[in-house]
Amino acid sequence: MPTLTIDNQKITVPEGKTVLEAAEELGIQVPHFCYHKELGAVGACRMCAVTVQEGSSKGLKMSCLIPAEDGMVVTTDDEQSTTFRDRVGEWLMLNHPHDCPVCDEGGECQLQEMTIASGHGVRRYAGQKRTYNNQDLGPFVAQEMNRCIQCYRCVRTYQDYCGGRDFGVMGSRNRVFFGRFQDGTLESDFSGNIVDVCPTGVLTDKTYRFKSRYWDLQEAPSVCPHCSLGCATIPGGRFHELQRVRSGENQLVNGFFICDRGRFGSGYVNHPERPRQARNNEQLIGMDEALRQLDVEARGLIEQHGPEAVLLLGSERTSLEANWLLQQWAKKLGCREPVLAAHGPRHQAAQVVAFDLSDRLASLEQVRGSDLVLVAGADPLAEAPMLAVALRQVVRSGGQVIVYDPRPVELPCEFDHQALSPLALLDFLTAGGSDGQHVRELLQHAESPILVGGADLLGVEGLQRLKKMSLELSNDQRPCLIYPLLSNPNSFGAALLSLPEQDDLLTRLETGRVKMLVCLESDPLLEAPESDRFSVALTKLDKLVVLDYLPTPLSVHANLFIPTRTPVESDGTFINNEGRLRSYAGVLEPGLPISVAEDGGHPPREFSTVSPGSDPLSASRILQILLKDDSSLVELHQQMVADFPRLAGLTGLTPSDAGVRVADAAARNVVNIDLPEQPVGTLQLIVSPARYGSDLLSRYSDKLEPRFSSAWVMMNSQDAAERGLQEGDKVILDTETGSFCLPMICHPQLAAGCALVENSAALASLVPGAGISYCEVSREVSHE
Amino acid sequence: MSDPLLTLVLILAKLGVIFGVILTLAAYLVLAERKLLARMQLRYGPNRVGLFGLMQPLADLIKLLTKEDFLPARADKWLFLLAPGISAVTALLTFAVIPFGPPLELFGKTVPLVVIDLNVGVLYFLAFSSLAVYGIALGGWASNSKYALLGSIRGLSQLISYELSMGLAIVPVVMMARSFSLTEIVMAQEKIPYILLNPVAFMIFLISILAESKRIPFDLPEAENELVAGFHTEYSGMRFGLFFVGEYINLIILGSMVTVLFLGGWHGPWLPGVIWFSVKVLAICGFFIWVRGSMPRLRYDQLMHFGWKVLLPISLLNVLVTGAILLGMG
Amino acid sequence: MHIWRDLRGTVQPFWITLRNMLRKPVTVQYPEQKQQLSPRYRARLILSRDPDGNERCVACHLCSAACPVDCISMQAVEAEDGRRYAAWFRINFTRCIFCGLCTEACPTLAIQVTGDFELAGRDPLKLVYEKEDLLVDHCGHNSEYNFYRQAGIGVAAPRGTNSTESEPVDVKDLLP
């Protein structure tokens, strides 16, 4: 632990810290560009010059490159360093186009700040400015190369950290250019991060182009609702419109970066068809009236038909508070306990994670620091993109990643892939075969092994086998932790609150005793398998009540519809896949965005104290009104902790916290499910989420549309050949859910005996995580 | 017509004339003050309503009558409503004893040009000028506002302090006239007004009534830059108007008192008595306005210091000296 | 004791006010007589055009950021040629205090003050000016400045052709 003196202040920092980091800890701002907390330093910008007065090497040094030494004396404000920084600032501005007024970075531009910090004010150089031609980098990132100061941050982020291959640095001497070889969309799923790291306006968010200035944005720390990882985000909005999302910092979870799905998947908040007014069948009504009707009718039905008459359905994408309040409302109404997730099998798998695995969960930070990761039955880029980046860090620091998955998994790093069909994967997890033995041996010898398991593909059975494996591989020196992937932002939370061994949604609906179904931010038609069984069950209902913020198909059928707020418009808590309580704060008040309402024209010229579309209330607020409960969020959390001691971490949790893990729980020992026998001649059906547009929120986000995939069915080349099929053929896919006519594509890396489809807007009725099922693929019979 | 009935009719007639004249005069005094102050400050003053702004008082009246009558939260409702009335009515009532002209021969009867010729007119005047304090004190207290309360407290202590000197300044006059009746005091000045006989008493009286009327330089109860508007901060509309009008009526009354006590009342050559009286009263009012345009406001401690340590000893001394001289002259 | 000074101090103001009463008032009788305004008088705001006749305003939000009473709001959009301009631009003159900070903040000299101070009316909405009310057909105080000819991002002229710029570099050239 070296102790050094910077500007007459003494500080002790851990070994290996640089002088720049030490100065920052003291609150001394040394101007810098190329140094970034996550990316480290390269010494490219020469901006962070300080003078070392005492130390092993004296004189003017780059503070980001010299490690802190014991007894070092450093000054940052002496004549030599300030003059040097002033010159460097001036020199970096030589070719700058001076177009801050039309630059989206203006106001949050590090170049603006550092130029002022370095002292440079008036341009003295009278020569010509170097210019570049820009490239079209696709729908997400806009480029203006004239503003570049060659700090190399973009390349270090895109290539080194996130593993993208199509963006790099070209040219020589003062022609250094950052971009692609030619115009074209950036291929990486993490391309948006170069917008965040770029210290000037070279790379800006195209979807946010010219929308707002940083100082006009309403921002608050939030949690990404697009997958179960719970990455830290900072959404920013203005005029009731969520205009952009940038990544927050959470070292335990995502670090500094987020994926493109989380960054550009914010359109659902401003969706033009988003329902913003309560509705009784066709008639628009006020919120008070809607809540009164809901309360009166629910009570009436229970009085008349007993506790089975009303069924409350919670959700894996609504907040922990709302789910808990739904349970309280059920108690108050006297109806049976609510079902907290529409998707039964996924919910059961999440319960295995929330209870059986709760004492062996790794954090994403631990994954990044691991030396051997076994990924079993998971496609990180589709299910939890930031895990893929974490796996890259494993490989970058010399570790190894082994993937056992039927799908042709892609990762932004080197890894070993073994394609096993879902059934074979389960065998593999119970040490089946030489392969299983070999992997176990590797894990046994690893220093900090992590098992990543996708709950969708492994299911209850697979997760329990994974746990057994983890127990076997743990020893006294180190545990072998599990990093499960769930499907929704609050899957863990819904599972944690649920009662053991309760009937699932369809079983209860099909008894016919349910007269009224209340769906809280949940659409079983889209989010659960067997949607046709569900739609039949719907016809038996007297009354369908939907509370949601998305224009889901179910909300169209609703007898009573009540609009709710999105996570960016309300305060709440999710529990991410590693059991971490992640709290988020509301950024915007709900309302019809001016850009949507006025179509680019000026806002209405009228006086009004209410803005249109400001009706929606957060789900938890609606339930509090129904419960006639006026307690604040803090009081609510106290009640929840008293009810569920595992949630003790809620006390004092704020949105800017990294989040606290829920307490461990005893295993629930869910009864093993019998795996169905595979009929001869069938293929194992694998439904995988598409990278974009599988979760409902990204499906309703227009910004992501360029990334939406079409529907297809994928087969192993050998299986296809056996059936006489060729790539591009139209085939009939016969599944338990129904038949689909899809184009077929072949892939040699798909496990043999499997057929893969992707769940997306184009193929919405096949939902991942429904368990093992079989299908047949045959050539489409032409009717000619 | 029986005698008492005729007296009653005459009194009522005089009352009516006086009310009409005084209220109109008060209204136009406001205009005159604004015009004069404006000219002293190189402005024009109100000149938009009517010719030379002569309809300004009417416009002000319409404005005051149509403005919202505002009652502050948790104010003492009845006292709040009553206070402006007290202020205006006491000012008006004082005029009952003021002789504004020589007695008139009417219907073969001598009609004194005074509403009621009390033989203790001076005491009546003192009593009513003390009563006027209630308007301020109650109004300020009932408003439930710190500024109003502070203003009314200042008003109270200021009036108490200066009433003493004012009373003591009248004593020499009473001694010289040997009467408490204001008519007789005027009669006694037929040859020489008391301002020449006793200028010290005149000065003391003038300063004291400046304080009594709460005008610059003694306008501490409504000091705008400290107390918003002092005791009438919370008043609006015609209730504020009553305070306002009361203040100007008071100005006329005090001007009349100066005229009666020191300037020889209606006495004067060539012109009829009533005109002389009016000219003298208006001159005093004009002087008040001039003072307002020229003097700064005193500090509160200066006010108290001057009242108790300067004015009061001088007036006591004056009483003694006057008494001694009168005694000496037999 | 300063009796003389105090006496003089008491009497002199009476003389001064008396003298003033005999002087001519300095008041300007406004609606009939108009005052000669300074050319730098700050009243109603306008949005000027550059010498080429294009809108100067690039909707950079600096005026609204500088505005102490938050009376300016706008939305920027991009034209086909990459020009940034205001889709709508609104100044609420019922709030404006005519401090001129917006004109000082404006980097393109678009927003400028004029001497038209007669902004009164009974309908507050008539004092909410939209872009079409603000935009004028002249350059205002400065008839030469064109932001896009200084800021080199290829809007007013093709990239690399402004007077201070060199031709765009060929990034695939490996010559030293």
Side-chain angles (χ1 to χ4, degrees):
Chain A
M1 297 280 277
T3 301
L4 69 163
T5 312
I6 306 174
D7 286 351
N8 298 323
Q9 297 179 62
K10 268 201 171 17
I11 186 171
T12 308
V13 292
E15 199 76 48
K17 283 249 180 184
T18 62
V19 172
L20 180 76
E21 286 160 335
E24 262 187 0
E25 253 177 64
L26 275 174
I28 301 167
Q29 286 291 325
V30 183
H32 60 266
F33 289 113
C34 66
Y35 165 79
H36 183 278
K37 229 176 182 177
E38 189 71 59
L39 305 172
V42 290
C45 72
R46 318 310 287 172
M47 196 72 194
C48 61
V50 296
T51 307
V52 180
Q53 311 283 3
E54 298 285 337
S56 56
S57 61
K58 292 182 194 173
L60 197 70
K61 300 281 168 203
M62 295 306 125
S63 62
C64 70
L65 290 176
I66 44 170
E69 294 167 19
D70 207 27
M72 207 177 209
V73 178
V74 177
T75 51
T76 68
D77 52 359
D78 58 297
E79 175 82 33
Q80 196 184 6
S81 347
T82 48
T83 319
F84 185 86
R85 290 202 300 262
D86 183 13
R87 295 288 182 274
V88 172
E90 188 168 6
W91 160 63
L92 287 175
M93 291 295 289
L94 273 193
N95 295 309
H96 193 275
H98 294 93
D99 64 334
C100 298
V102 296
C103 173
D104 260 340
E105 196 83 358
E108 50 183 339
C109 177
Q110 227 176 332
L111 184 60
Q112 282 180 336
E113 283 162 26
M114 294 306 165
T115 306
I116 288 162
S118 71
H120 169 61
V122 177
R123 178 183 164 88
R124 293 186 294 169
Y125 176 66
Q128 302 282 77
K129 290 179 186 175
R130 173 202 57 210
T131 58
Y132 291 101
N133 282 324
N134 295 330
Q135 285 183 336
D136 179 8
L137 296 179
F140 296 146
V141 180
Q143 192 192 35
E144 175 47 70
M145 263 309 288
N146 286 0
R147 300 172 185 145
C148 185
I149 54 161
Q150 284 80 29
C151 71
Y152 285 71
R153 269 193 188 183
C154 51
V155 177
R156 285 187 291 147
T157 306
Y158 195 88
Q159 282 191 352
D160 301 356
Y161 197 89
C162 297
R165 292 182 187 164
D166 58 326
F167 180 94
V169 55
M170 281 177 268
S172 62
R173 58 185 189 94
N174 79 336
R175 295 190 303 256
V176 171
F177 181 84
F178 298 87
R180 288 168 53 87
F181 177 67
Q182 58 190 17
D183 282 10
T185 307
L186 290 173
E187 285 162 8
S188 169
D189 290 311
F190 309 95
S191 62
N193 290 314
I194 57 177
V195 171
D196 274 358
V197 296
C198 180
T200 84
V202 178
L203 301 160
T204 49
D205 186 340
K206 205 177 244 180
T207 64
Y208 171 65
R209 189 157 175 82
F210 297 168
K211 283 215 168 137
S212 282
R213 282 290 177 207
Y214 172 63
W215 59 75
D216 283 336
L217 282 181
Q218 294 163 279
E219 288 193 326
S222 191
V223 181
C224 180
H226 286 282
C227 75
S228 63
L229 294 194
C231 299
T233 58
I234 303 176
R238 188 168 74 111
F239 292 150
H240 296 309
E241 181 185 5
L242 184 62
Q243 297 186 324
R244 71 159 185 196
V245 175
R246 64 188 174 102
S247 60
E249 182 189 345
N250 188 339
Q251 287 302 341
L252 296 176
V253 183
N254 58 321
F256 276 90
F257 302 121
I258 55 170
C259 64
D260 283 0
R261 174 147 45 119
R263 185 183 301 270
F264 301 112
S266 59
Y268 67 96
V269 179
N270 326 317
H271 197 279
E273 281 154 39
R274 179 177 162 190
R276 295 171 194 273
Q277 227 182 330
R279 186 160 49 71
N280 184 348
N281 291 315
E282 295 302 308
Q283 191 195 355
L284 295 176
I285 51 175
M287 277 304 258
D288 298 342
E289 174 60 17
L291 294 184
R292 195 193 59 79
Q293 285 182 8
L294 174 59
D295 193 35
V296 168
E297 281 176 42
R299 275 195 272 172
L301 282 171
I302 286 172
E303 242 166 61
Q304 215 178 336
H305 301 285
E308 288 278 357
V310 174
L311 174 53
L312 307 182
L313 175 62
S315 160
E316 293 184 326
R317 62 181 158 94
T318 195
S319 66
L320 189 65
E321 290 84 354
N323 275 332
W324 181 79
L325 283 164
L326 194 70
Q327 291 181 325
Q328 305 311 304
W329 191 45
K331 276 183 204 159
K332 193 188 168 200
L333 283 176
C335 65
R336 269 190 66 186
E337 80 285 349
V339 177
L340 291 183
H343 193 312
R346 268 182 169 172
H347 193 42
Q348 279 176 342
Q351 285 182 46
V352 174
V353 172
F355 289 90
D356 301 22
L357 304 186
S358 62
D359 57 339
R360 354 198 26 84
L361 294 175
S363 70
L364 199 55
E365 190 194 26
Q366 284 170 312
V367 174
R368 282 195 291 270
S370 165
D371 62 337
L372 178 58
V373 181
L374 171 68
V375 180
D379 181 359
L381 280 177
E383 292 172 55
M386 279 314 288
L387 173 65
V389 175
L391 293 178
R392 178 171 172 82
Q393 308 321 308
V394 172
V395 175
R396 277 180 85 199
S397 51
Q400 197 188 353
V401 175
I402 306 172
V403 180
Y404 276 80
D405 190 275
R407 292 164 281 192
V409 171
E410 285 172 26
L411 283 180
C413 60
E414 303 250 309
F415 65 104
D416 300 317
H417 179 216
Q418 191 67 42
L420 290 184
S421 72
L423 284 172
L425 191 61
L426 291 179
D427 285 342
F428 162 76
L429 289 176
T430 40
S434 60
D435 230 27
Q437 281 305 330
H438 174 64
V439 170
R440 268 159 194 261
E441 238 162 69
L442 283 176
L443 287 163
Q444 209 96 44
H445 292 107
E447 268 174 36
S448 50
I450 304 266
L451 307 178
V452 173
D456 274 358
L457 201 86
L458 293 180
V460 172
E461 180 65 30
L463 286 170
Q464 281 178 341
R465 290 185 191 191
L466 201 67
K467 183 193 177 183
K468 217 174 279 169
M469 186 171 172
S470 132
L471 283 170
E472 286 164 17
L473 291 169
S474 298
N475 57 37
D476 299 341
Q477 276 83 47
R478 50 132 190 87
C480 176
L481 298 176
I482 301 176
Y483 191 76
L485 297 183
L486 299 174
S487 47
N488 277 305
N490 201 22
S491 294
F492 195 110
L496 188 149
L497 294 180
S498 66
L499 302 174
E501 290 172 37
Q502 60 180 22
D503 296 338
D504 73 350
L505 177 69
L506 274 174
T507 323
R508 278 172 65 177
L509 274 180
E510 284 174 346
T511 57
R513 287 200 291 269
V514 177
K515 303 285 173 206
M516 179 194 216
L517 175 65
V518 181
C519 296
L520 179 69
E521 297 182 358
S522 178
D523 182 0
L525 287 173
L526 287 178
E527 290 172 305
E530 302 181 89
S531 54
D532 40 355
R533 245 177 91 192
F534 180 77
S535 33
V536 172
L538 277 187
T539 55
K540 297 181 187 161
L541 291 173
D542 285 356
K543 187 119 187 151
L544 174 65
V545 183
V546 175
L547 296 87
D548 211 332
Y549 50 80
L550 295 175
T552 58
L554 192 70
S555 68
V556 178
H557 298 303
N559 299 112
L560 180 63
F561 177 81
I562 299 173
T564 60
R565 295 185 178 194
T566 59
V568 291
E569 291 158 345
S570 52
D571 297 351
T573 312
F574 289 150
I575 306 183
N576 77 354
N577 61 330
E578 58 195 56
R580 192 175 299 284
L581 289 157
R582 298 281 288 117
S583 160
Y584 54 88
V587 177
L588 297 166
E589 284 294 306
L592 196 63
I594 286 176
S595 58
V596 173
E598 299 302 322
D599 200 25
H602 60 67
R605 295 175 59 84
E606 61 191 35
F607 291 119
S608 169
T609 47
V610 283
S611 46
S614 59
D615 269 1
L617 295 171
S618 73
S620 47
R621 185 74 213 122
I622 287 173
L623 289 161
Q624 277 191 308
I625 293 171
L626 291 170
L627 283 163
K628 299 196 172 46
D629 174 10
D630 250 347
S631 41
S632 66
L633 198 63
V634 175
E635 289 163 345
L636 205 64
H637 285 167
Q638 285 166 353
Q639 295 166 29
M640 289 168 72
V641 172
D643 200 6
F644 286 91
R646 288 188 71 187
L647 300 176
L650 273 178
T651 324
L653 186 73
T654 64
S656 41
D657 290 344
V660 189
R661 290 274 281 268
V662 297
D664 300 343
R668 270 186 176 174
N669 294 326
V670 179
V671 189
N672 286 4
I673 301 156
D674 294 328
L675 301 172
E677 279 292 315
Q678 179 165 13
V680 184
T682 57
L683 295 166
Q684 292 179 34
L685 175 67
I686 303 161
V687 184
S688 176
R691 286 190 201 171
Y692 300 89
S694 178
D695 64 309
L696 277 195
L697 302 188
S698 69
R699 197 176 294 174
Y700 285 103
S701 294
D702 50 347
K703 289 180 189 175
L704 285 179
E705 258 165 40
R707 290 274 173 124
F708 286 173
S709 54
S710 55
W712 41 253
V713 54
M714 187 191 280
M715 290 173 76
N716 183 292
S717 319
Q718 209 179 335
D719 287 334
E722 275 172 21
R723 285 168 175 73
L725 299 170
Q726 278 175 334
E727 173 128 8
D729 283 355
K730 280 265 180 189
V731 296
I732 301 284
L733 176 72
D734 269 316
T735 69
E736 288 165 16
T737 314
S739 293
F740 304 92
C741 180
L742 299 166
M744 199 273 292
I745 47 177
C746 291
H747 204 294
Q749 258 147 25
L750 182 72
C754 295
L756 172 67
V757 291
E758 272 191 351
N759 166 260
S760 65
L763 190 61
S765 47
L766 286 173
V767 179
I772 288 173
S773 68
Y774 304 102
C775 64
E776 279 176 58
V777 178
S778 52
R779 186 188 295 275
E780 187 188 18
V781 185
S782 63
H783 299 285
E784 288 164 36
Chain B
M1 226 192 287
S2 65
D3 207 42
L5 193 65
L6 186 69
T7 317
L8 190 69
V9 167
L10 280 173
I11 287 178
L12 285 177
K14 280 187 280 186
L15 259 181
V17 169
I18 288 169
F19 267 46
V21 168
I22 296 233
L23 287 175
T24 318
L25 202 60
Y28 275 90
L29 203 54
V30 177
L31 180 65
E33 171 156 33
R34 289 175 67 182
K35 286 285 233 189
L36 279 175
L37 278 179
R39 292 306 298 263
M40 286 177 200
Q41 294 158 358
L42 298 180
R43 299 185 282 117
Y44 283 109
N47 64 351
R48 294 275 155 186
V49 192
L51 198 64
F52 304 116
L54 279 176
M55 301 304 279
Q56 187 70 36
L58 199 69
D60 285 347
L61 181 77
I62 292 169
K63 184 188 78 173
L64 286 171
L65 283 172
T66 50
K67 281 217 164 181
E68 184 191 354
D69 190 7
F70 179 78
L71 185 74
R74 278 179 288 153
D76 191 323
K77 192 181 171 197
W78 291 110
L79 283 182
F80 186 81
L81 300 182
L82 197 64
I86 295 178
S87 188
V89 167
T90 49
L92 274 172
L93 283 178
T94 316
F95 214 84
V97 293
I98 290 174
F100 50 89
L104 207 65
E105 289 293 326
L106 211 64
F107 308 118
K109 237 179 89 85
T110 311
V111 181
L113 277 188
V114 54
V115 177
I116 190 156
D117 188 11
L118 280 183
N119 53 6
V120 287
V122 173
L123 296 183
Y124 177 90
F125 160 71
L126 287 175
F128 270 90
S129 72
S130 305
L131 265 180
V133 167
Y134 278 98
I136 296 162
L138 295 178
W141 183 80
S143 295
N144 185 33
S145 151
K146 51 181 173 285
Y147 299 114
L149 186 64
L150 278 172
S152 64
I153 289 170
R154 283 187 183 188
L156 275 177
S157 50
Q158 177 178 328
L159 289 174
I160 289 168
S161 308
Y162 281 80
E163 208 150 67
L164 271 174
S165 330
M166 186 175 79
L168 287 171
I170 300 178
V171 171
V173 176
V174 173
M175 289 196 301
M176 288 189 285
R178 293 171 193 276
S179 169
F180 274 108
S181 159
L182 292 173
T183 315
E184 278 173 35
I185 290 175
V186 175
M187 298 291 198
Q189 299 179 61
E190 193 167 359
K191 293 201 179 75
I192 310 172
Y194 286 156
I195 181 174
L196 300 175
L197 291 180
N198 201 336
V200 178
F202 171 73
M203 284 308 290
I204 293 168
F205 189 75
L206 199 66
I207 293 170
S208 302
I209 60 168
L210 266 176
E212 193 85 342
S213 63
K214 303 181 290 296
R215 288 179 64 84
I216 284 174
F218 301 106
D219 65 334
L220 285 113
E222 44 189 292
E224 285 86 356
N225 33 16
E226 302 161 31
L227 299 179
V228 187
F231 60 91
H232 60 69
T233 301
E234 303 293 339
Y235 283 92
S236 62
M238 204 51 218
R239 263 173 234 292
F240 163 74
L242 280 178
F243 269 125
F244 198 64
V245 130
E247 192 178 309
Y248 282 86
I249 294 171
N250 213 19
L251 193 64
I252 297 168
I253 306 271
L254 294 169
S256 315
M257 281 310 286
V258 175
T259 313
V260 167
L261 294 177
F262 293 99
L263 299 183
W266 63 78
H267 291 300
W270 309 305
L271 291 170
V274 179
I275 304 279
W276 264 115
F277 182 84
S278 309
V279 166
K280 288 174 184 175
V281 169
L282 289 177
I284 294 293
C285 290
F287 176 70
F288 278 20
I289 292 165
W290 193 14
V291 169
R292 180 173 173 188
S294 311
M295 305 284 287
R297 182 186 305 128
L298 289 183
R299 233 166 41 217
Y300 195 64
D301 62 316
Q302 291 170 332
L303 175 92
M304 283 293 144
H305 173 91
F306 185 71
W308 289 99
K309 293 186 183 169
V310 181
L311 219 51
L312 191 59
I314 293 179
S315 50
L316 277 170
L317 206 65
N318 187 35
V319 171
L320 283 177
V321 172
T322 315
I325 292 170
L326 283 177
L327 205 62
M329 287 166 65
Chain C
M1 293 290 276
H2 303 282
I3 295 241
W4 173 242
R5 190 198 68 181
D6 291 356
L7 268 179
R8 210 177 60 140
T10 312
V11 176
Q12 201 179 25
F14 284 90
W15 162 241
I16 289 171
T17 45
L18 191 67
R19 198 182 53 189
N20 273 355
M21 269 203 278
L22 304 172
R23 283 187 180 166
K24 189 177 156 48
V26 295
T27 310
V28 176
Q29 297 284 334
Y30 162 61
E32 297 89 27
Q33 305 169 9
K34 297 251 157 82
Q35 204 165 15
Q36 184 68 42
L37 297 178
S38 143
R40 299 175 59 176
Y41 193 87
R42 301 193 307 261
R44 185 168 63 85
L45 297 159
I46 54 162
L47 289 176
S48 62
R49 287 178 186 273
D50 64 24
D52 300 346
N54 292 311
E55 290 168 22
R56 265 183 176 151
C57 177
V58 296
C60 70
H61 288 258
L62 282 181
C63 50
S64 68
C67 181
V69 290
D70 275 355
C71 72
I72 307 178
S73 50
M74 76 195 80
Q75 179 62 56
V77 282
E78 189 174 10
E80 292 233 325
D81 61 349
R83 184 182 287 273
R84 181 178 165 135
Y85 70 100
W88 53 268
F89 191 103
R90 176 179 280 186
I91 299 183
N92 186 345
F93 279 112
T94 59
R95 276 198 200 173
C96 181
I97 56 168
F98 306 103
C99 62
L101 288 181
C102 48
T103 61
E104 284 180 37
C106 185
T108 65
L109 301 185
I111 193 164
Q112 296 184 1
V113 281
T114 64
D116 177 15
F117 60 87
E118 287 172 321
L119 286 160
R122 291 179 186 281
D123 181 6
L125 265 182
K126 284 192 179 146
L127 288 173
V128 177
Y129 278 46
E130 303 292 350
K131 188 176 157 190
E132 48 271 28
D133 308 319
L134 295 162
L135 197 63
V136 295
D137 267 342
H138 54 81
C139 300
H141 293 315
N142 186 309
S143 58
E144 278 150 33
Y145 184 66
N146 183 344
F147 168 77
Y148 280 115
R149 297 211 178 271
Q150 312 294 322
I153 54 161
V155 170
R159 293 178 80 81
T161 57
N162 278 344
S163 58
T164 55
E165 293 170 354
S166 52
E167 288 278 296
V169 297
D170 179 4
V171 295
K172 288 173 188 169
D173 181 11
L174 285 179
L175 288 174

